[in-house]
Amino acid sequence: MGIITVTNSHIATHEGLGDAAGSARTLPEIADRATIAIESLRTQWRTVSNLGTHERMAISQLRTYGPMPMSELASRISLSRAAVTSLVDRLEADGWVRRQSDEQDRRRTVLRLLPRAASEFESVSNTWREELLSIASSMSDQDLAAVMTFLKRVGDVAERQAEHLRATAVERSLN
């Protein structure tokens, strides 16, 4: 595998320079490029689904992490509780989500995705998923395990960093 060099938005691949230290140094740039490409793909999915950024983020959070209280959703997508209430009102009216009593604590309300959300997301993401499965099926079990471990760790780091930024948002807004 070659080294990828990033300079002033130019990405060049250097074959035959596969030292691990060089590859590790370019990892943040490669991760940024992948993140940008995925964000662009998600933007197109939003457009196809006729959703705004926060609506798409809310549906993605609920799809990935399951039912959650509105306060948790507000924290995850960095909106005030009032803004999330308005957002959920729109999503509920359009048939994406529903408010429901929490099974463990009836005083609490949780948000759940409706079947429409699952089928809509499947229809726009099937090609993406099929291509990922094709890549995965061409890999050795060992390489696939390494990639999956790496992506899980990257996800964990991103979630930790997002949580840190959420927790310090008030401090930053006061400065």
Side-chain angles (χ1 to χ4, degrees), residues 8-9 11 26 28 32-33 36 39 53-54 68-69 71 96 99 118 124-127 136-137 148 153 161 163 173:
N8 298 336
S9 303
I11 299 175
T26 63
D32 284 347
R33 184 171 177 255
I36 291 165
E39 285 175 1
T53 301
H54 288 110
M68 67 182 68
S71 59
W96 290 97
R99 292 174 174 102
V124 296
S125 65
N126 274 345
T127 304
S137 67
M148 291 175 69
R153 288 181 179 174
Q161 291 293 314
E163 180 57 36
S173 68

Side-chain angles (χ1 to χ4, degrees), residues 54 70-71 73-75 77-87:
H54 288 110
M70 287 177 46
S71 59
L73 181 62
S75 175
I77 64 175
S78 299
L79 289 177
S80 68
R81 288 184 185 194
V84 167
T85 298
S86 177
L87 171 87

Side-chain angles (χ1 to χ4, degrees), residues 93-169:
D94 289 341
W96 290 97
V97 301
R98 85 168 168 242
R99 292 174 174 102
Q100 187 175 20
S101 294
D102 187 332
E103 294 171 4
Q104 273 67 43
D105 182 353
R106 296 277 183 207
R107 297 169 294 176
R108 221 168 80 157
T109 301
V110 295
L111 300 171
R112 292 189 187 281
L113 284 181
L114 292 173
R116 171 191 175 184
S119 66
E120 182 83 22
F121 274 73
E122 283 177 26
S123 73
V124 296
S125 65
N126 274 345
T127 304
W128 160 257
R129 291 176 175 281
E130 288 169 7
E131 286 194 44
L132 288 180
L133 289 172
S134 175
I135 292 169
S137 67
S138 71
M139 299 172 75
S140 70
D141 290 346
Q142 183 179 3
D143 286 349
L144 183 58
V147 167
M148 291 175 69
T149 298
F150 175 77
L151 288 175
K152 182 184 178 326
R153 288 181 179 174
V154 167
D156 291 345
V157 168
E159 286 177 349
R160 237 185 354 266
Q161 291 293 314
E163 180 57 36
H164 173 73
L165 291 172
R166 275 192 295 273
T168 60

Side-chain angles (χ1 to χ4, degrees), residues 23-34:
S23 294
R25 284 190 299 271
T26 63
L27 183 62
E29 289 83 12
I30 294 168
D32 284 347
R33 184 171 177 255

